[in-house]
Structure formats: structure tokens, C-alpha cells
Amino acid sequence: MILVPILAVVFAITIDFVMGDPKNKFHPTAWIGTLIEKLIPIAKKNPQTAKLSGILLTISIAILVAVIVYFINVGLYSLESDNPNFGLYDLVVLTLIIIITGILLKTTIAIKGMELHARLIMDALSKNNLDDARAKLSMVVKRDTKNLDRQHIISATLESIGENTVDGITGPLFYFAIFGLPGAFVYRTINTIDSMIGYKTEQFRNLGWFGANCDKILNYLPARTTSLVMVFAAMILGKNWKHSLEIMRRDSSKTESPNAGYPMATLAGALGTRFEKIDHYVLGDGKMEFTEDHFKSAISIMKLTTILFCIVVTIPMIVVLSYIGGLLHA
């Protein structure tokens, strides 16, 4: 039934808005991260074969995750009855499928989790504890945070909110619409691999090459689609959506990543401010004089973008692809 994945998306978003992330010991993405962490020392033993090891690591973990989630999916749908008459059993089974699918999909997205972590950084700054703010920021960005001043800490936090809107929300929803739960989990797996070893350092330059490039490919469409939806969200929230669109077009290519610049530049334009990564890029035209309102507005834009993305992208994709699938099986 076409309503099952749609209701699962609604349920997943609702759970995240209300409850946030489970503890790591219950979080599949954290388990994937632990597995990657254990395999990294093995993969990088021989520097001469690091690139090949990185390819094998990425492919093997992605396949493992896809197979596990696929069989969970198959197991759920195997509970459906062949009886043409819809009865109480069918209602219970469909409800169970929606709940379990929604819970699993929720573990691939992080709306409230990003908000709470960003809030911890802002709280540390409100207490003038720059060291604590830098330490917390280092958990969500790849840059060196040791010497960042207050304004650059806030800039990096807001940039992370923009980037996370794709990596931690719309990306998984995009691939769920196409491939179901396996698609969402494989996307998050590749994203996690990139965040852990996709650094262009001597240590990970070759090992993380394949994972980083897979992440670039997978994020190409979600990043650009999300940015357009973010402009729509800015319009609804009364922000300068025309400026947001202008900055997205002008500055999205300034970042080293071909994708991350899109949501970050769009957010900078919507907030009428400037994001800066020292010696790397400047996004937007405004001043780097951030207030609590900038943070609150960024969170509001992230949340509304999530809802709008579900309405105008995820659900329509599910409907269209289900219709095409029905025609092919007719």
C-alpha cells in the first residue's frame, strides 16, 4: 500500500521532533560508526594499498547494511495476509509495519539531535566558556576549532545546521523515497564513512577517497533540491528569500565540497549574514555579528525545510515511483 511508506515518513519525522535521538547503544548509525572505527586500523595497515582498502571498506559495509535492512524489510512485509478482504489482522500488521519502518527511518535522520547539540554550543558561549564551545563544535565539524573566536564558532555552528539539513535529514528522506529503508541506511552509511575518513589528510587521503566521492555523488541532487526548498521555507518565515536565492547561486561553489555550499550559502542569505571558514571561504554579504535570533531562525528554517521537503519532494516521489512500479508489474 502506497500509504505505508508515506505514513512511515510522517511517523519518523514526528518521533524525531518529539523525542530526538536514542542513546548510542540503541542507535544503528552509532553501531555503523563503531564498525567503521574497528575496521579503519586494519584498512590502513598498508599505505601502499590504502585506496583499494578504502574502496573495499566502503563497499563491504554498505552492502552489509543494505542486506541486513533489506531482510528486515522483507520480514516485515511477509507478515501481510494474502486474504483479499482487509480485516483486523491486516490493520494490525500494516500498523506494525508503519511503526517499525518509521522508527528505523528515524534513526537515519537528526533534526532534534542537531538542534540540541547546537544549543549546547550556544549555551557554552552564553557562559563565555569558549573552550567548551570549541570542544563541542569539534564534534560536528571537520575544521580545527582550537583557536576560533566567538563569531567564528557561531558561524561554524550555523553552517553545520545548514549542512546537516541535507546530511542528517533530507538526504536520507530522498533515498528512502527511491529505495525504501535500504536506501536511507546506505546513504547514512556512506555519509558516516565520509565524516570519519573523508579527510584530505596524509592519514586518510587515500583510505577515504572512495567514501568521500560516493558521498559527493549521493548528495548532488539532495543538496540542490534542499536548497530550493530552504528558499521556500525562508519565504514562508518572512526572511529575505530573494537574497537567499541570490547567495545560493553566487556562493554555493565557493566551498571545497561541491554540495555543502548549497544549503550553507542559502542559509547565510536567508539570515542576511556572513559565514566564514578562515582561509577557505566566505558565504553571504552580511556582517559576522551573530545574535540568539540568528540561531533560532536557523533552527526554524531547518525544521520547516524538513516538513516542506517531505510534502513537496519525498511524498510525491513515493507516489510517482509507486505508480510507475504498479504499471511495470501490471
Side-chain angles (χ1 to χ4, degrees), residues 142 163 166-167 194 198 200 211-225 227 248-249 251-265 281:
K142 293 180 180 179
E163 189 172 8
V166 178
D167 291 346
D194 177 56
K200 287 190 175 180
N213 281 285
C214 285
D215 187 72
K216 287 177 185 176
I217 293 168
L218 290 178
N219 269 325
Y220 187 87
L221 287 176
R224 287 152 181 78
T225 307
S227 295
M248 179 192 74
R249 288 171 172 168
D251 293 349
S252 58
S253 61
K254 289 184 177 180
T255 59
E256 190 173 344
S257 164
N259 302 312
Y262 277 84
M264 292 194 298
Y281 57 74

PDB file of all heavy atoms in Angstrom, residues 142 163 166-167 194 198 200 211-225 227 248-249 251-265 281:
ATOM      1  N   LYS A 142      34.690  19.426  10.659  1.00  0.00           N
ATOM      2  CA  LYS A 142      35.994  18.843  10.370  1.00  0.00           C
ATOM      3  C   LYS A 142      37.134  19.824  10.599  1.00  0.00           C
ATOM      4  O   LYS A 142      38.278  19.431  10.701  1.00  0.00           O
ATOM      5  CB  LYS A 142      36.032  18.359   8.912  1.00  0.00           C
ATOM      6  CG  LYS A 142      35.113  17.179   8.620  1.00  0.00           C
ATOM      7  CD  LYS A 142      35.221  16.764   7.159  1.00  0.00           C
ATOM      8  CE  LYS A 142      34.308  15.595   6.835  1.00  0.00           C
ATOM      9  NZ  LYS A 142      34.385  15.183   5.419  1.00  0.00           N
ATOM     10  N   GLU A 163      24.328  22.440   6.661  1.00  0.00           N
ATOM     11  CA  GLU A 163      24.815  21.194   6.042  1.00  0.00           C
ATOM     12  C   GLU A 163      24.066  19.979   6.557  1.00  0.00           C
ATOM     13  O   GLU A 163      23.755  19.054   5.800  1.00  0.00           O
ATOM     14  CB  GLU A 163      26.316  21.056   6.302  1.00  0.00           C
ATOM     15  CG  GLU A 163      26.956  19.920   5.530  1.00  0.00           C
ATOM     16  CD  GLU A 163      28.471  19.893   5.641  1.00  0.00           C
ATOM     17  OE1 GLU A 163      29.024  20.677   6.444  1.00  0.00           O
ATOM     18  OE2 GLU A 163      29.098  19.086   4.937  1.00  0.00           O
ATOM     19  N   VAL A 166      20.840  18.640   4.967  1.00  0.00           N
ATOM     20  CA  VAL A 166      20.959  17.649   3.887  1.00  0.00           C
ATOM     21  C   VAL A 166      21.454  16.315   4.441  1.00  0.00           C
ATOM     22  O   VAL A 166      20.784  15.281   4.313  1.00  0.00           O
ATOM     23  CB  VAL A 166      21.916  18.137   2.785  1.00  0.00           C
ATOM     24  CG1 VAL A 166      22.069  17.068   1.698  1.00  0.00           C
ATOM     25  CG2 VAL A 166      21.396  19.429   2.168  1.00  0.00           C
ATOM     26  N   ASP A 167      22.626  16.322   5.068  1.00  0.00           N
ATOM     27  CA  ASP A 167      23.257  15.075   5.517  1.00  0.00           C
ATOM     28  C   ASP A 167      22.391  14.297   6.507  1.00  0.00           C
ATOM     29  O   ASP A 167      22.337  13.058   6.450  1.00  0.00           O
ATOM     30  CB  ASP A 167      24.606  15.372   6.182  1.00  0.00           C
ATOM     31  CG  ASP A 167      25.641  15.868   5.198  1.00  0.00           C
ATOM     32  OD1 ASP A 167      25.408  15.732   3.980  1.00  0.00           O
ATOM     33  OD2 ASP A 167      26.674  16.394   5.631  1.00  0.00           O
ATOM     34  N   ASP A 194      32.253   8.989   5.176  1.00  0.00           N
ATOM     35  CA  ASP A 194      32.872  10.244   4.742  1.00  0.00           C
ATOM     36  C   ASP A 194      33.239  11.128   5.930  1.00  0.00           C
ATOM     37  O   ASP A 194      34.314  11.729   5.960  1.00  0.00           O
ATOM     38  CB  ASP A 194      31.924  11.000   3.808  1.00  0.00           C
ATOM     39  CG  ASP A 194      32.488  12.347   3.385  1.00  0.00           C
ATOM     40  OD1 ASP A 194      33.603  12.374   2.839  1.00  0.00           O
ATOM     41  OD2 ASP A 194      31.824  13.372   3.620  1.00  0.00           O
ATOM     42  N   GLY A 198      36.828  10.756   5.439  1.00  0.00           N
ATOM     43  CA  GLY A 198      36.840  11.510   4.188  1.00  0.00           C
ATOM     44  C   GLY A 198      37.677  12.772   4.240  1.00  0.00           C
ATOM     45  O   GLY A 198      37.443  13.698   3.475  1.00  0.00           O
ATOM     46  N   LYS A 200      41.001  15.115   3.743  1.00  0.00           N
ATOM     47  CA  LYS A 200      42.138  15.167   2.829  1.00  0.00           C
ATOM     48  C   LYS A 200      43.415  15.411   3.621  1.00  0.00           C
ATOM     49  O   LYS A 200      44.075  16.443   3.507  1.00  0.00           O
ATOM     50  CB  LYS A 200      41.917  16.248   1.779  1.00  0.00           C
ATOM     51  CG  LYS A 200      40.870  15.859   0.752  1.00  0.00           C
ATOM     52  CD  LYS A 200      40.827  16.814  -0.412  1.00  0.00           C
ATOM     53  CE  LYS A 200      39.869  16.327  -1.474  1.00  0.00           C
ATOM     54  NZ  LYS A 200      39.807  17.252  -2.624  1.00  0.00           N
ATOM     55  N   GLY A 211      35.029   6.688  -0.297  1.00  0.00           N
ATOM     56  CA  GLY A 211      33.868   7.044   0.501  1.00  0.00           C
ATOM     57  C   GLY A 211      33.472   8.497   0.299  1.00  0.00           C
ATOM     58  O   GLY A 211      32.283   8.831   0.180  1.00  0.00           O
ATOM     59  N   ALA A 212      34.484   9.389   0.247  1.00  0.00           N
ATOM     60  CA  ALA A 212      34.222  10.817   0.066  1.00  0.00           C
ATOM     61  C   ALA A 212      33.572  11.082  -1.289  1.00  0.00           C
ATOM     62  O   ALA A 212      32.644  11.895  -1.402  1.00  0.00           O
ATOM     63  CB  ALA A 212      35.516  11.606   0.201  1.00  0.00           C
ATOM     64  N   ASN A 213      34.043  10.394  -2.322  1.00  0.00           N
ATOM     65  CA  ASN A 213      33.476  10.598  -3.653  1.00  0.00           C
ATOM     66  C   ASN A 213      32.087   9.987  -3.798  1.00  0.00           C
ATOM     67  O   ASN A 213      31.233  10.539  -4.508  1.00  0.00           O
ATOM     68  CB  ASN A 213      34.421  10.043  -4.723  1.00  0.00           C
ATOM     69  CG  ASN A 213      35.574  10.986  -5.011  1.00  0.00           C
ATOM     70  OD1 ASN A 213      35.410  12.006  -5.661  1.00  0.00           O
ATOM     71  ND2 ASN A 213      36.753  10.668  -4.489  1.00  0.00           N
ATOM     72  N   CYS A 214      31.846   8.885  -3.124  1.00  0.00           N
ATOM     73  CA  CYS A 214      30.496   8.312  -3.099  1.00  0.00           C
ATOM     74  C   CYS A 214      29.530   9.292  -2.436  1.00  0.00           C
ATOM     75  O   CYS A 214      28.396   9.491  -2.899  1.00  0.00           O
ATOM     76  CB  CYS A 214      30.490   6.990  -2.338  1.00  0.00           C
ATOM     77  SG  CYS A 214      31.212   5.607  -3.234  1.00  0.00           S
ATOM     78  N   ASP A 215      29.989   9.907  -1.355  1.00  0.00           N
ATOM     79  CA  ASP A 215      29.171  10.879  -0.641  1.00  0.00           C
ATOM     80  C   ASP A 215      28.856  12.083  -1.537  1.00  0.00           C
ATOM     81  O   ASP A 215      27.726  12.592  -1.536  1.00  0.00           O
ATOM     82  CB  ASP A 215      29.896  11.335   0.621  1.00  0.00           C
ATOM     83  CG  ASP A 215      29.040  12.228   1.505  1.00  0.00           C
ATOM     84  OD1 ASP A 215      28.107  11.708   2.134  1.00  0.00           O
ATOM     85  OD2 ASP A 215      29.309  13.446   1.555  1.00  0.00           O
ATOM     86  N   LYS A 216      29.833  12.532  -2.310  1.00  0.00           N
ATOM     87  CA  LYS A 216      29.616  13.654  -3.228  1.00  0.00           C
ATOM     88  C   LYS A 216      28.543  13.312  -4.260  1.00  0.00           C
ATOM     89  O   LYS A 216      27.659  14.126  -4.552  1.00  0.00           O
ATOM     90  CB  LYS A 216      30.920  14.006  -3.950  1.00  0.00           C
ATOM     91  CG  LYS A 216      31.953  14.700  -3.084  1.00  0.00           C
ATOM     92  CD  LYS A 216      33.241  14.940  -3.870  1.00  0.00           C
ATOM     93  CE  LYS A 216      34.327  15.521  -2.965  1.00  0.00           C
ATOM     94  NZ  LYS A 216      35.606  15.669  -3.698  1.00  0.00           N
ATOM     95  N   ILE A 217      28.616  12.112  -4.795  1.00  0.00           N
ATOM     96  CA  ILE A 217      27.645  11.691  -5.810  1.00  0.00           C
ATOM     97  C   ILE A 217      26.248  11.593  -5.209  1.00  0.00           C
ATOM     98  O   ILE A 217      25.270  12.084  -5.787  1.00  0.00           O
ATOM     99  CB  ILE A 217      28.067  10.339  -6.424  1.00  0.00           C
ATOM    100  CG1 ILE A 217      29.363  10.511  -7.222  1.00  0.00           C
ATOM    101  CG2 ILE A 217      26.961   9.775  -7.312  1.00  0.00           C
ATOM    102  CD1 ILE A 217      30.030   9.208  -7.623  1.00  0.00           C
ATOM    103  N   LEU A 218      26.142  10.957  -4.046  1.00  0.00           N
ATOM    104  CA  LEU A 218      24.840  10.766  -3.416  1.00  0.00           C
ATOM    105  C   LEU A 218      24.208  12.083  -2.981  1.00  0.00           C
ATOM    106  O   LEU A 218      22.984  12.221  -2.953  1.00  0.00           O
ATOM    107  CB  LEU A 218      24.970   9.837  -2.197  1.00  0.00           C
ATOM    108  CG  LEU A 218      25.267   8.373  -2.493  1.00  0.00           C
ATOM    109  CD1 LEU A 218      25.410   7.583  -1.191  1.00  0.00           C
ATOM    110  CD2 LEU A 218      24.167   7.753  -3.351  1.00  0.00           C
ATOM    111  N   ASN A 219      25.025  13.072  -2.643  1.00  0.00           N
ATOM    112  CA  ASN A 219      24.499  14.350  -2.149  1.00  0.00           C
ATOM    113  C   ASN A 219      24.209  15.359  -3.256  1.00  0.00           C
ATOM    114  O   ASN A 219      23.634  16.423  -2.975  1.00  0.00           O
ATOM    115  CB  ASN A 219      25.481  14.983  -1.156  1.00  0.00           C
ATOM    116  CG  ASN A 219      25.177  14.562   0.267  1.00  0.00           C
ATOM    117  OD1 ASN A 219      24.026  14.376   0.640  1.00  0.00           O
ATOM    118  ND2 ASN A 219      26.211  14.409   1.066  1.00  0.00           N
ATOM    119  N   TYR A 220      24.565  15.033  -4.480  1.00  0.00           N
ATOM    120  CA  TYR A 220      24.424  16.006  -5.567  1.00  0.00           C
ATOM    121  C   TYR A 220      22.985  16.513  -5.702  1.00  0.00           C
ATOM    122  O   TYR A 220      22.740  17.735  -5.653  1.00  0.00           O
ATOM    123  CB  TYR A 220      24.903  15.396  -6.889  1.00  0.00           C
ATOM    124  CG  TYR A 220      24.934  16.401  -8.024  1.00  0.00           C
ATOM    125  CD1 TYR A 220      26.053  17.191  -8.242  1.00  0.00           C
ATOM    126  CD2 TYR A 220      23.827  16.573  -8.860  1.00  0.00           C
ATOM    127  CE1 TYR A 220      26.082  18.130  -9.268  1.00  0.00           C
ATOM    128  CE2 TYR A 220      23.843  17.508  -9.886  1.00  0.00           C
ATOM    129  CZ  TYR A 220      24.972  18.283 -10.082  1.00  0.00           C
ATOM    130  OH  TYR A 220      24.979  19.215 -11.099  1.00  0.00           O
ATOM    131  N   LEU A 221      22.048  15.622  -5.876  1.00  0.00           N
ATOM    132  CA  LEU A 221      20.649  16.033  -6.028  1.00  0.00           C
ATOM    133  C   LEU A 221      20.012  16.506  -4.720  1.00  0.00           C
ATOM    134  O   LEU A 221      19.351  17.555  -4.711  1.00  0.00           O
ATOM    135  CB  LEU A 221      19.834  14.893  -6.645  1.00  0.00           C
ATOM    136  CG  LEU A 221      20.062  14.625  -8.128  1.00  0.00           C
ATOM    137  CD1 LEU A 221      19.269  13.413  -8.589  1.00  0.00           C
ATOM    138  CD2 LEU A 221      19.697  15.841  -8.968  1.00  0.00           C
ATOM    139  N   PRO A 222      20.186  15.789  -3.600  1.00  0.00           N
ATOM    140  CA  PRO A 222      19.583  16.257  -2.341  1.00  0.00           C
ATOM    141  C   PRO A 222      20.036  17.656  -1.936  1.00  0.00           C
ATOM    142  O   PRO A 222      19.230  18.449  -1.458  1.00  0.00           O
ATOM    143  CB  PRO A 222      20.045  15.207  -1.324  1.00  0.00           C
ATOM    144  CG  PRO A 222      20.223  13.971  -2.120  1.00  0.00           C
ATOM    145  CD  PRO A 222      20.766  14.437  -3.447  1.00  0.00           C
ATOM    146  N   ALA A 223      21.322  17.983  -2.124  1.00  0.00           N
ATOM    147  CA  ALA A 223      21.829  19.290  -1.712  1.00  0.00           C
ATOM    148  C   ALA A 223      21.160  20.412  -2.494  1.00  0.00           C
ATOM    149  O   ALA A 223      20.744  21.438  -1.930  1.00  0.00           O
ATOM    150  CB  ALA A 223      23.344  19.351  -1.898  1.00  0.00           C
ATOM    151  N   ARG A 224      21.030  20.238  -3.786  1.00  0.00           N
ATOM    152  CA  ARG A 224      20.456  21.287  -4.622  1.00  0.00           C
ATOM    153  C   ARG A 224      18.942  21.387  -4.441  1.00  0.00           C
ATOM    154  O   ARG A 224      18.383  22.493  -4.406  1.00  0.00           O
ATOM    155  CB  ARG A 224      20.823  21.012  -6.089  1.00  0.00           C
ATOM    156  CG  ARG A 224      22.301  21.308  -6.363  1.00  0.00           C
ATOM    157  CD  ARG A 224      22.892  20.485  -7.485  1.00  0.00           C
ATOM    158  NE  ARG A 224      24.318  20.799  -7.674  1.00  0.00           N
ATOM    159  CZ  ARG A 224      25.299  20.333  -6.893  1.00  0.00           C
ATOM    160  NH1 ARG A 224      25.020  19.529  -5.879  1.00  0.00           N
ATOM    161  NH2 ARG A 224      26.560  20.657  -7.119  1.00  0.00           N
ATOM    162  N   THR A 225      18.292  20.241  -4.329  1.00  0.00           N
ATOM    163  CA  THR A 225      16.841  20.239  -4.092  1.00  0.00           C
ATOM    164  C   THR A 225      16.513  20.860  -2.743  1.00  0.00           C
ATOM    165  O   THR A 225      15.596  21.676  -2.617  1.00  0.00           O
ATOM    166  CB  THR A 225      16.296  18.796  -4.153  1.00  0.00           C
ATOM    167  OG1 THR A 225      16.694  18.180  -5.375  1.00  0.00           O
ATOM    168  CG2 THR A 225      14.780  18.788  -4.064  1.00  0.00           C
ATOM    169  N   SER A 227      18.217  23.031  -1.052  1.00  0.00           N
ATOM    170  CA  SER A 227      18.467  24.467  -1.058  1.00  0.00           C
ATOM    171  C   SER A 227      17.276  25.237  -1.621  1.00  0.00           C
ATOM    172  O   SER A 227      16.903  26.292  -1.105  1.00  0.00           O
ATOM    173  CB  SER A 227      19.728  24.786  -1.868  1.00  0.00           C
ATOM    174  OG  SER A 227      20.860  24.222  -1.235  1.00  0.00           O
ATOM    175  N   MET A 248      22.771  31.728  -2.784  1.00  0.00           N
ATOM    176  CA  MET A 248      22.931  30.321  -3.161  1.00  0.00           C
ATOM    177  C   MET A 248      23.565  30.220  -4.544  1.00  0.00           C
ATOM    178  O   MET A 248      24.510  29.455  -4.757  1.00  0.00           O
ATOM    179  CB  MET A 248      21.581  29.604  -3.161  1.00  0.00           C
ATOM    180  CG  MET A 248      21.674  28.142  -3.568  1.00  0.00           C
ATOM    181  SD  MET A 248      20.067  27.387  -3.906  1.00  0.00           S
ATOM    182  CE  MET A 248      19.664  28.106  -5.495  1.00  0.00           C
ATOM    183  N   ARG A 249      23.054  30.994  -5.479  1.00  0.00           N
ATOM    184  CA  ARG A 249      23.586  30.958  -6.853  1.00  0.00           C
ATOM    185  C   ARG A 249      25.026  31.460  -6.902  1.00  0.00           C
ATOM    186  O   ARG A 249      25.859  30.921  -7.632  1.00  0.00           O
ATOM    187  CB  ARG A 249      22.714  31.822  -7.767  1.00  0.00           C
ATOM    188  CG  ARG A 249      21.354  31.226  -8.072  1.00  0.00           C
ATOM    189  CD  ARG A 249      20.483  32.239  -8.796  1.00  0.00           C
ATOM    190  NE  ARG A 249      19.236  31.660  -9.273  1.00  0.00           N
ATOM    191  CZ  ARG A 249      18.214  32.378  -9.722  1.00  0.00           C
ATOM    192  NH1 ARG A 249      18.300  33.702  -9.756  1.00  0.00           N
ATOM    193  NH2 ARG A 249      17.116  31.788 -10.133  1.00  0.00           N
ATOM    194  N   ASP A 251      27.377  31.926  -4.221  1.00  0.00           N
ATOM    195  CA  ASP A 251      28.412  31.430  -3.308  1.00  0.00           C
ATOM    196  C   ASP A 251      28.454  29.913  -3.110  1.00  0.00           C
ATOM    197  O   ASP A 251      29.354  29.415  -2.447  1.00  0.00           O
ATOM    198  CB  ASP A 251      28.241  32.083  -1.920  1.00  0.00           C
ATOM    199  CG  ASP A 251      28.529  33.579  -1.947  1.00  0.00           C
ATOM    200  OD1 ASP A 251      29.051  34.057  -2.968  1.00  0.00           O
ATOM    201  OD2 ASP A 251      28.227  34.260  -0.953  1.00  0.00           O
ATOM    202  N   SER A 252      27.494  29.190  -3.668  1.00  0.00           N
ATOM    203  CA  SER A 252      27.423  27.738  -3.400  1.00  0.00           C
ATOM    204  C   SER A 252      28.648  26.978  -3.885  1.00  0.00           C
ATOM    205  O   SER A 252      28.966  25.904  -3.363  1.00  0.00           O
ATOM    206  CB  SER A 252      26.159  27.151  -4.036  1.00  0.00           C
ATOM    207  OG  SER A 252      26.155  27.398  -5.433  1.00  0.00           O
ATOM    208  N   SER A 253      29.350  27.532  -4.868  1.00  0.00           N
ATOM    209  CA  SER A 253      30.523  26.824  -5.415  1.00  0.00           C
ATOM    210  C   SER A 253      31.823  27.210  -4.723  1.00  0.00           C
ATOM    211  O   SER A 253      32.894  26.739  -5.110  1.00  0.00           O
ATOM    212  CB  SER A 253      30.640  27.114  -6.914  1.00  0.00           C
ATOM    213  OG  SER A 253      30.825  28.506  -7.132  1.00  0.00           O
ATOM    214  N   LYS A 254      31.748  28.064  -3.707  1.00  0.00           N
ATOM    215  CA  LYS A 254      32.965  28.546  -3.047  1.00  0.00           C
ATOM    216  C   LYS A 254      33.569  27.527  -2.075  1.00  0.00           C
ATOM    217  O   LYS A 254      34.740  27.644  -1.709  1.00  0.00           O
ATOM    218  CB  LYS A 254      32.679  29.849  -2.300  1.00  0.00           C
ATOM    219  CG  LYS A 254      32.444  31.046  -3.215  1.00  0.00           C
ATOM    220  CD  LYS A 254      32.253  32.317  -2.413  1.00  0.00           C
ATOM    221  CE  LYS A 254      32.084  33.533  -3.321  1.00  0.00           C
ATOM    222  NZ  LYS A 254      31.906  34.776  -2.519  1.00  0.00           N
ATOM    223  N   THR A 255      32.783  26.561  -1.615  1.00  0.00           N
ATOM    224  CA  THR A 255      33.291  25.584  -0.656  1.00  0.00           C
ATOM    225  C   THR A 255      34.044  24.469  -1.369  1.00  0.00           C
ATOM    226  O   THR A 255      33.824  24.224  -2.558  1.00  0.00           O
ATOM    227  CB  THR A 255      32.141  24.960   0.165  1.00  0.00           C
ATOM    228  OG1 THR A 255      31.215  24.332  -0.730  1.00  0.00           O
ATOM    229  CG2 THR A 255      31.404  26.025   0.961  1.00  0.00           C
ATOM    230  N   GLU A 256      34.899  23.809  -0.637  1.00  0.00           N
ATOM    231  CA  GLU A 256      35.661  22.698  -1.210  1.00  0.00           C
ATOM    232  C   GLU A 256      34.731  21.577  -1.637  1.00  0.00           C
ATOM    233  O   GLU A 256      34.930  20.937  -2.659  1.00  0.00           O
ATOM    234  CB  GLU A 256      36.669  22.184  -0.163  1.00  0.00           C
ATOM    235  CG  GLU A 256      37.663  21.201  -0.715  1.00  0.00           C
ATOM    236  CD  GLU A 256      38.731  20.839   0.297  1.00  0.00           C
ATOM    237  OE1 GLU A 256      38.888  21.561   1.304  1.00  0.00           O
ATOM    238  OE2 GLU A 256      39.418  19.824   0.076  1.00  0.00           O
ATOM    239  N   SER A 257      33.701  21.334  -0.836  1.00  0.00           N
ATOM    240  CA  SER A 257      32.694  20.339  -1.195  1.00  0.00           C
ATOM    241  C   SER A 257      31.787  20.905  -2.282  1.00  0.00           C
ATOM    242  O   SER A 257      31.344  22.046  -2.191  1.00  0.00           O
ATOM    243  CB  SER A 257      31.833  19.985   0.034  1.00  0.00           C
ATOM    244  OG  SER A 257      30.650  19.319  -0.370  1.00  0.00           O
ATOM    245  N   PRO A 258      31.491  20.114  -3.318  1.00  0.00           N
ATOM    246  CA  PRO A 258      30.611  20.605  -4.387  1.00  0.00           C
ATOM    247  C   PRO A 258      29.144  20.665  -3.971  1.00  0.00           C
ATOM    248  O   PRO A 258      28.309  21.175  -4.717  1.00  0.00           O
ATOM    249  CB  PRO A 258      30.822  19.567  -5.502  1.00  0.00           C
ATOM    250  CG  PRO A 258      31.181  18.314  -4.763  1.00  0.00           C
ATOM    251  CD  PRO A 258      31.993  18.756  -3.579  1.00  0.00           C
ATOM    252  N   ASN A 259      28.838  20.142  -2.786  1.00  0.00           N
ATOM    253  CA  ASN A 259      27.451  20.064  -2.329  1.00  0.00           C
ATOM    254  C   ASN A 259      27.160  20.894  -1.077  1.00  0.00           C
ATOM    255  O   ASN A 259      26.116  21.539  -0.990  1.00  0.00           O
ATOM    256  CB  ASN A 259      27.070  18.605  -2.049  1.00  0.00           C
ATOM    257  CG  ASN A 259      27.249  17.717  -3.262  1.00  0.00           C
ATOM    258  OD1 ASN A 259      26.809  18.053  -4.352  1.00  0.00           O
ATOM    259  ND2 ASN A 259      27.910  16.589  -3.091  1.00  0.00           N
ATOM    260  N   ALA A 260      28.072  20.890  -0.116  1.00  0.00           N
ATOM    261  CA  ALA A 260      27.822  21.540   1.175  1.00  0.00           C
ATOM    262  C   ALA A 260      27.559  23.032   1.045  1.00  0.00           C
ATOM    263  O   ALA A 260      26.815  23.622   1.829  1.00  0.00           O
ATOM    264  CB  ALA A 260      28.993  21.303   2.121  1.00  0.00           C
ATOM    265  N   GLY A 261      28.163  23.661   0.025  1.00  0.00           N
ATOM    266  CA  GLY A 261      27.999  25.093  -0.155  1.00  0.00           C
ATOM    267  C   GLY A 261      26.570  25.506  -0.448  1.00  0.00           C
ATOM    268  O   GLY A 261      26.169  26.641  -0.156  1.00  0.00           O
ATOM    269  N   TYR A 262      25.778  24.608  -1.017  1.00  0.00           N
ATOM    270  CA  TYR A 262      24.407  24.954  -1.379  1.00  0.00           C
ATOM    271  C   TYR A 262      23.529  25.284  -0.172  1.00  0.00           C
ATOM    272  O   TYR A 262      22.996  26.402  -0.082  1.00  0.00           O
ATOM    273  CB  TYR A 262      23.787  23.843  -2.237  1.00  0.00           C
ATOM    274  CG  TYR A 262      24.157  23.971  -3.690  1.00  0.00           C
ATOM    275  CD1 TYR A 262      25.354  23.448  -4.173  1.00  0.00           C
ATOM    276  CD2 TYR A 262      23.332  24.650  -4.580  1.00  0.00           C
ATOM    277  CE1 TYR A 262      25.719  23.590  -5.504  1.00  0.00           C
ATOM    278  CE2 TYR A 262      23.680  24.793  -5.922  1.00  0.00           C
ATOM    279  CZ  TYR A 262      24.878  24.259  -6.375  1.00  0.00           C
ATOM    280  OH  TYR A 262      25.237  24.417  -7.694  1.00  0.00           O
ATOM    281  N   PRO A 263      23.337  24.352   0.778  1.00  0.00           N
ATOM    282  CA  PRO A 263      22.489  24.707   1.927  1.00  0.00           C
ATOM    283  C   PRO A 263      23.110  25.778   2.813  1.00  0.00           C
ATOM    284  O   PRO A 263      22.394  26.596   3.396  1.00  0.00           O
ATOM    285  CB  PRO A 263      22.340  23.375   2.676  1.00  0.00           C
ATOM    286  CG  PRO A 263      23.524  22.560   2.274  1.00  0.00           C
ATOM    287  CD  PRO A 263      23.776  22.942   0.843  1.00  0.00           C
ATOM    288  N   MET A 264      24.445  25.791   2.918  1.00  0.00           N
ATOM    289  CA  MET A 264      25.094  26.789   3.778  1.00  0.00           C
ATOM    290  C   MET A 264      24.940  28.200   3.201  1.00  0.00           C
ATOM    291  O   MET A 264      24.612  29.148   3.923  1.00  0.00           O
ATOM    292  CB  MET A 264      26.573  26.441   3.979  1.00  0.00           C
ATOM    293  CG  MET A 264      26.799  25.176   4.794  1.00  0.00           C
ATOM    294  SD  MET A 264      28.504  24.965   5.383  1.00  0.00           S
ATOM    295  CE  MET A 264      29.419  24.865   3.855  1.00  0.00           C
ATOM    296  N   ALA A 265      25.170  28.352   1.902  1.00  0.00           N
ATOM    297  CA  ALA A 265      25.028  29.663   1.267  1.00  0.00           C
ATOM    298  C   ALA A 265      23.573  30.117   1.301  1.00  0.00           C
ATOM    299  O   ALA A 265      23.284  31.303   1.533  1.00  0.00           O
ATOM    300  CB  ALA A 265      25.530  29.603  -0.175  1.00  0.00           C
ATOM    301  N   TYR A 281      36.684  29.955   2.771  1.00  0.00           N
ATOM    302  CA  TYR A 281      35.570  30.556   2.035  1.00  0.00           C
ATOM    303  C   TYR A 281      34.835  31.583   2.883  1.00  0.00           C
ATOM    304  O   TYR A 281      34.933  31.604   4.114  1.00  0.00           O
ATOM    305  CB  TYR A 281      34.575  29.490   1.553  1.00  0.00           C
ATOM    306  CG  TYR A 281      33.994  28.623   2.655  1.00  0.00           C
ATOM    307  CD1 TYR A 281      33.018  29.128   3.540  1.00  0.00           C
ATOM    308  CD2 TYR A 281      34.392  27.305   2.816  1.00  0.00           C
ATOM    309  CE1 TYR A 281      32.482  28.334   4.541  1.00  0.00           C
ATOM    310  CE2 TYR A 281      33.860  26.502   3.816  1.00  0.00           C
ATOM    311  CZ  TYR A 281      32.902  27.023   4.673  1.00  0.00           C
ATOM    312  OH  TYR A 281      32.374  26.241   5.669  1.00  0.00           O
TER     313      TYR A 281
END
